Amino acid sequence: MDLAWEDVPENHRRALRLVTRAAAEGARLAVLPEMFSTGFSMAPERVAQAEGGPSELFLRETAASLGLWLLARRWKACGQAHDHTHDHGHDHGDGAEPAAPQSLSGIVALGAA
């Protein structure tokens, strides 16, 4: 899948084209590339999504409508402030505001039986 850098709606459109074709050809499982919705961004504070966010909703709705399993991975916002000065005991010196910590999260969406 050719990813559009940090462009979630465009990446959802691209993924939908691929998994729709896979389902039409009889696939029961589709595995999307890691970071399918954003590309390999090094700025998770910009691209992380809350639980139930746009990419999770996209996966669930797409899996259900096409009747297949989808497996994908994306940045997930953990929801608590993160103080850079306590990261490994040093200040990054970037002057950045504390950001919500991020983690990579796997998502499995079940399609219709």
Side-chain angles (χ1 to χ4, degrees):
M1 180 174 155
D2 184 24
L3 299 172
W5 189 255
E6 295 183 0
D7 187 343
V8 174
E10 178 59 24
N11 287 319
H12 287 177
R13 282 189 289 278
R14 292 176 184 191
L16 182 60
R17 279 194 305 268
L18 292 172
V19 298
T20 298
R21 187 170 117 201
E25 293 176 5
R28 303 275 318 199
L29 168 70
V31 180
L32 294 171
E34 184 174 25
M35 310 302 293
F36 85 98
S37 62
T38 60
F40 286 88
S41 175
M42 298 319 251
E45 68 280 359
R46 282 198 313 260
V47 299
Q49 298 175 11
E51 195 73 32
S55 291
E56 184 175 338
L57 184 62
F58 165 79
L59 292 169
R60 291 187 187 285
E61 289 176 350
T62 301
S65 71
L66 296 176
L68 72 148
W69 290 81
L70 285 175
L71 177 63
R73 199 164 180 192
R74 49 88 172 152
W75 282 108
K76 175 181 151 189
C78 297
Q80 295 179 345
H82 177 69
D83 183 349
H84 288 285
T85 62
H86 292 98
D87 242 359
H88 307 292
H90 66 279
D91 184 349
H92 292 283
D94 59 8
E97 291 293 318
Q102 318 301 323
S103 66
L104 278 172
S105 174
I107 299 173
V108 177
L110 173 63

